[in-house]
Amino acid sequence: MTAYKVRKMGQKWSGRMALALVAGALSAQPALAQDKAPLTAHEQMARDIYRDIIAFRTARGQQQVPAMVSYLVDRFKKAGFSDTDISVTDYDSEGEKTQGLMVTYRARPGSTAKPIVLLGHMDVVDALAKDWVRPPFSLTEEDGYFFGRATMDNKYGITNLTSTFLRLKAEGWQPSRDLVLVFSGDEETGMVSTRAQAEYVAKNIDPAFILNSDAGGVALAEDGTPVAFQVQSAEKTYATYELTVTNPGGHSSRPRADNAIYELAEALRKIAAYKFPVQATDLTRSYFATAGKLTPGELGQAMLRFAADPSDSSAIATLQADPESVGTLGTTCVATMLQAGHAENALPQSATATVNCRIFPGVGAVATEAKLKEIIGNDNVRFKLASDVTESPESKLRDDVKAAVRYSIDKRYPGLTILPYMESGGTDGMHYRTLGYDTVAISGAAMKASDMYAHGLNERLPVASFYGGLDHWYWILKKLAE
Ligand SMILES: [Zn+2]
């Protein structure tokens, strides 16, 4: 679905951009040392997996996810995972043949703790070789970066989770609870596999909680200083509406009193002028309380004042003027596309605008549509919901998960602030949250805002970030399932 492709562009990590511009929050040094040292056996294995899976063009229309699944299954089997602990499922995602993969790392006998589910997605947003400087489906290491489609989103996550499982298995480790990898095959498009996997997980695994590799991570300032470890704990609800006005039309030399374009334009002006109510939750207040300390100047002050008093109107005005902050204050709706008329010398018979909303958790698409209709106040403007809507609540950052993240992060960046945030976009996580599971995204990557090219041209991951994050899941799983 086009809507889904458009929706994903540039959303992920947007919450961290403001933070990443701030320097000097902590004095810890980024983990660069491994960059030049000879690779350890584990680093080499992870790099090989990374190289091999980036070579699969797992974009919509290429039907390559099954080939990537076969490759991963082979890796898991060779590492000693048994057939019964590996499951591959076919999905038809709006005509695209794709697959989902689940791998269970069995708990030692007698274990009673509920399982942990770990998420990643194997599909990618497509990339056209002619537009890229380097071949997108081949791993290139150059100037301190790994280049290639999904070096970040999300084949780094898949590589990291997979290599961690293989490493732990090779060490003979037995967890105290089942650990289950759940890799989806169409997260970037229809999310058919995601929805089916989420239902399967709820029914058959019923985990204690879920960890996602597809968002969150260490935000670095432009000088490489770590600013915060971001934990994606909530996602806004995505909803697109098509607003249409129709009219009998006629010859443009004989204008009539009503006109589809004018009526639609008037409706859009009302949407432009309207601000949805400002909302605050414990999550967004604590986000601003922490982000405010890390953000200099008036913006940081406004964050702190809003955190202390979400009715502070001057703080609200400052935050609403900041594109990185406005989405955290409440629901937003904005016109994104227009289509109207059929000839330059004819009165328009139809005018349609696309309005994209990012709905604050708990508000709902139905209430949002009703509010838009109310402010427009014209029944001639007809609404059509043009996207799938998945509403999901905020997730708790559980104490045990926070302690495990703390443990892992302290090994790389001692004392780094842990910062839960709400994302404006969509990941697999929302389908698990909506079924009642606390789901947080805690990628091991460390990135500057200027290095974020997910979904775009010349996607890259700093080499130091790749190797520096390879122990991330290892320590977290050890802590949660030792
Ligand atoms: Zn992703």
Side-chain angles (χ1 to χ4, degrees):
M1 264 163 81
T2 315
Y4 270 94
K5 278 179 197 140
V6 171
R7 127 181 111 86
K8 308 289 290 187
M9 288 292 265
Q11 287 173 3
K12 226 159 265 183
W13 306 66
S14 64
R16 61 182 29 202
M17 294 308 179
L19 286 178
L21 298 172
V22 181
L26 272 184
S27 58
Q29 291 302 305
L32 292 165
Q34 296 163 67
D35 194 2
K36 295 279 189 277
L39 298 184
T40 65
H42 176 67
E43 287 169 341
Q44 186 62 53
M45 187 253 290
R47 191 190 193 284
D48 289 349
I49 293 173
Y50 195 49
R51 175 201 62 210
D52 293 346
I53 64 175
I54 281 169
F56 294 105
R57 185 176 177 180
T58 52
R60 182 168 188 76
Q62 305 300 323
Q63 325 263 0
Q64 280 288 297
V65 172
M68 174 169 160
V69 168
S70 299
Y71 169 86
L72 289 173
V73 165
D74 192 50
R75 281 277 182 172
F76 283 111
K77 281 188 182 170
K78 282 188 177 133
F81 287 88
S82 70
D83 284 358
T84 49
D85 291 336
I86 298 173
S87 105
V88 176
T89 310
D90 291 323
Y91 297 103
D92 183 324
S93 177
E94 299 153 340
E96 175 81 7
K97 279 198 184 69
T98 190
Q99 286 183 336
L101 172 64
M102 294 179 40
V103 180
T104 303
Y105 198 137
R106 288 286 163 208
R108 52 184 178 259
S111 304
T112 53
K114 279 186 158 194
I116 302 171
V117 159
L118 304 155
L119 303 180
H121 66 87
M122 301 179 287
D123 61 310
V124 302
V125 173
D126 205 6
L128 299 177
K130 67 178 171 58
D131 299 334
W132 280 52
V133 174
R134 302 161 198 83
F137 297 101
S138 162
L139 183 68
T140 305
E141 183 176 348
E142 204 177 299
D143 301 334
Y145 289 99
F146 284 124
F147 290 92
R149 170 54 88 226
T151 43
M152 175 71 214
D153 181 15
N154 178 232
K155 286 177 179 171
Y156 178 60
I158 296 284
T159 297
N160 211 339
L161 287 171
T162 299
S163 64
T164 300
F165 260 42
L166 302 191
R167 176 183 180 185
L168 290 165
K169 195 79 169 174
E171 289 177 2
W173 185 65
Q174 280 191 298
S176 60
R177 59 208 306 180
D178 281 0
L179 305 173
V180 188
L181 296 182
V182 179
F183 292 166
S184 61
D186 64 335
E187 190 267 358
E188 299 287 6
T189 53
M191 288 197 179
V192 171
S193 60
T194 309
R195 265 186 286 266
Q197 287 177 323
E199 278 162 27
Y200 178 90
V201 164
K203 213 190 232 171
N204 301 287
I205 300 175
D206 190 30
F209 54 87
I210 291 162
L211 304 175
N212 187 356
S213 66
D214 191 30
V218 178
L220 300 176
E222 287 305 310
D223 67 356
T225 311
V227 179
F229 183 80
Q230 301 217 4
V231 176
Q232 187 236 53
S233 306
E235 295 171 54
K236 292 177 87 178
T237 305
Y238 181 97
T240 296
Y241 301 95
E242 282 173 1
L243 278 56
T244 299
V245 179
T246 53
N247 187 282
H251 201 287
S252 63
S253 65
R254 295 189 292 278
R256 25 186 301 147
D258 53 0
N259 176 301
I261 290 177
Y262 292 160
E263 268 186 87
L264 183 66
E266 212 168 289
L268 294 177
R269 286 177 61 112
K270 287 178 177 165
I271 293 174
Y274 180 71
K275 282 193 170 56
F276 282 85
V278 171
Q279 291 183 268
T281 65
D282 290 347
L283 170 65
T284 62
R285 284 178 78 167
S286 76
Y287 169 80
F288 280 127
T290 307
K293 286 185 215 144
L294 302 170
T295 306
E298 198 192 335
L299 184 60
Q301 291 305 310
M303 289 175 175
L304 294 175
R305 294 206 316 276
F306 181 80
D309 174 11
S311 67
D312 183 325
S313 54
S314 83
I316 290 167
T318 302
L319 295 175
Q320 277 181 332
D322 173 38
E324 299 297 342
S325 299
V326 64
T328 308
L329 293 184
T331 298
T332 63
C333 291
V334 63
T336 54
M337 294 197 285
L338 267 181
Q339 196 177 5
H342 58 282
E344 67 179 67
N345 55 1
L347 299 174
Q349 291 167 4
S350 160
T352 298
T354 302
V355 172
N356 179 243
C357 296
R358 307 305 172 100
I359 302 167
F360 204 82
V363 174
V366 171
T368 302
E369 181 175 332
K371 178 48 87 179
L372 290 174
K373 284 178 173 162
E374 181 195 320
I375 59 171
I376 290 170
N378 178 353
D379 292 341
N380 291 342
V381 181
R382 291 197 326 274
F383 275 66
K384 187 178 140 214
L385 182 62
S387 62
D388 288 329
V389 171
T390 299
E391 286 159 13
S392 60
E394 284 180 9
S395 285
K396 277 197 304 286
L397 176 55
R398 298 161 49 108
D399 288 344
D400 52 355
V401 174
K402 189 172 181 180
V405 168
R406 179 84 273 157
Y407 180 67
S408 172
I409 289 304
D410 278 353
K411 291 179 182 290
R412 276 196 287 167
Y413 305 104
L416 186 64
T417 303
I418 293 175
L419 179 57
Y421 71 102
M422 177 176 70
E423 183 164 305
S424 297
T427 64
D428 284 336
M430 65 179 162
H431 292 285
Y432 294 85
R433 289 196 186 105
T434 200
L435 295 176
Y437 292 97
D438 280 317
T439 305
V440 292
I442 50 168
S443 165
M447 301 282 283
K448 300 174 192 174
S450 62
D451 283 338
M452 272 310 301
Y453 289 80
H455 296 199
L457 286 175
N458 306 315
E459 185 174 351
R460 56 163 94 161
L461 180 73
V463 171
S465 176
F466 179 87
Y467 294 118
L470 284 186
D471 292 343
H472 179 68
W473 292 101
Y474 179 86
W475 293 121
I476 285 173
L477 296 183
K478 284 248 163 154
K479 193 78 180 164
L480 290 168
E482 187 66 78

